[in-house]
Amino acid sequence: MADEVEFTVHDGVGHVILRRPRALNSLTAAMIHQITARLIAWQTDPAVKALDISGEGRAYCAGADVRWMRQVILDEGVDTALRFLDDEYAMDRLITTFGKPITTHLHGVSMGGGLGLGMHGTHRIAAADLAMAMPETQIGLWPDVGMLYELSRLPGEVGTWMAMTATTIDAPTALAVGLVDEVEGLDTASAFNHSWIDEAFAGDDPNRITAQLESSADERAREAGAMIRTRSPLSVAVALAGVRRAAKLPDVAAVLAQDSAIAHAMLRDCDFVEGVRAQLVDKDHDPHWALPRLEDVDPVHVQEIFA
């Protein structure tokens, strides 16, 4: 278990290396506890001047170990999973308050909880094979780990598009929209035309946005609309409300506090168990959401989740 994260210090730089490659470095409770303890120690250690975070194998980090979360909910109930999320958010909060330069090396699958650990630092370097996403609406959750702070501040409605659809973007796109600071081997950011995204994803009504996408003359918009129809309806609605609220919050810590509140309000009665089953356990990609359509989501219920 201890070998799943390696900690070393070289020339004043503390290195955190995720070493669970067979599971795409997905974060377990033990890994989160180890990283948290080391961050606390290094934060006040004068011998550690900076932090460097990376992952071994073909992925930086696929996110939290959601298969374990699903099983523990089935076996024990939701409280253990909620403690896991609160611990994860506390780790992410330490990154935001670390007070020393933090460089993250993102490669391959870089998603979900891995971005909470890796995206709130000072410098984010991507490899050419980057596949970045916040895929939570695909498994019945919402984009959490503080990432709605970054998503809500991307150009136009790019963050809204990513939050609602769980779209995976490549390294050039991540650089163009400002989610990474550097791509190895790429000197300049390529152009990314998001005018169709800005037009279709404006507003606070998920049904109106989806209708605009589905009726668009732009094939990319229609594909996005079709993608949203495959996601958890409740998750899509919460993702939209979350990104709008995050845009008004002052910092990542405030967004993480919002994430904790959403988790405690939503995890007991959402599509997470079914979403993970369909996507990662049985892998039939045929989830049976509690609410069949986005139009069935009660806006009052969405507001209550945030209240």
Side-chain angles (χ1 to χ4, degrees), residues 82 85-86 89 93 142 255-265:
L82 285 171
L85 290 177
D86 283 338
Y89 301 158
R93 193 173 297 110
W142 76 100
V255 176
L256 285 165
Q258 174 177 273
D259 287 334
S260 183
I262 295 171
H264 284 263

Side-chain angles (χ1 to χ4, degrees), residues 34-245:
Q34 291 163 19
I35 294 169
T36 298
R38 191 57 61 106
L39 290 177
I40 291 171
W42 280 350
Q43 188 173 27
T44 56
D45 186 345
V48 177
K49 308 295 185 184
L51 188 65
D52 188 277
I53 304 172
S54 61
E56 177 187 18
R58 61 190 179 92
Y60 156 67
C61 179
D65 191 341
V66 293
R67 279 185 283 197
W68 172 86
M69 278 183 59
R70 174 184 183 270
Q71 194 60 50
V72 84
I73 289 173
L74 292 173
D75 292 345
E76 304 176 18
V78 75
D79 288 344
T80 301
L82 285 171
R83 286 194 294 272
F84 173 87
L85 290 177
D86 283 338
D87 287 346
E88 183 182 22
Y89 301 158
M91 175 189 70
D92 299 334
R93 193 173 297 110
L94 274 171
I95 293 291
T96 71
T97 60
F98 194 68
K100 302 176 184 182
I102 301 175
T103 299
T104 310
H105 303 271
L106 304 164
H107 76 278
V109 176
S110 301
M111 299 183 180
L115 300 186
L117 176 63
M119 289 293 292
H120 306 314
T122 50
H123 196 63
R124 302 157 300 186
I125 302 173
D129 65 348
L130 179 70
M132 176 183 283
M134 289 301 292
E136 283 76 11
T137 59
Q138 203 170 2
I139 57 170
L141 292 179
W142 76 100
D144 64 342
V145 297
M147 275 300 295
L148 285 177
Y149 181 86
E150 280 84 2
L151 293 183
S152 67
R153 287 156 174 80
L154 296 186
E157 298 293 343
V158 170
T160 312
W161 164 64
M162 290 185 65
M164 293 178 69
T165 64
T167 292
T168 299
I169 62 172
D170 59 14
T173 303
L175 182 63
V177 301
L179 278 173
V180 298
D181 304 297
E182 177 185 343
V183 175
E184 293 171 340
L186 185 64
D187 294 332
T188 57
S190 59
F192 178 67
N193 181 3
H194 52 86
S195 59
W196 68 272
I197 295 173
D198 298 346
E199 180 179 353
F201 281 86
D204 300 331
D205 184 345
N207 294 311
R208 183 172 179 273
I209 288 172
T210 305
Q212 288 177 160
L213 291 167
E214 292 174 327
S215 63
S216 174
D218 193 313
E219 183 179 0
R220 295 167 297 181
R222 294 195 303 274
E223 289 175 353
M227 188 179 295
I228 286 174
R229 290 296 184 187
T230 70
R231 306 321 193 201
S232 162
L234 178 60
S235 294
V236 168
V238 170
L240 176 60
V243 79
R244 294 292 181 251
R245 288 169 177 262

Side-chain angles (χ1 to χ4, degrees), residues 286-300:
D286 183 27
H288 299 281
W289 305 124
L291 299 171
R293 303 170 71 243
L294 187 55
E295 290 82 356
D296 299 324
V297 177
D298 183 354
V300 174

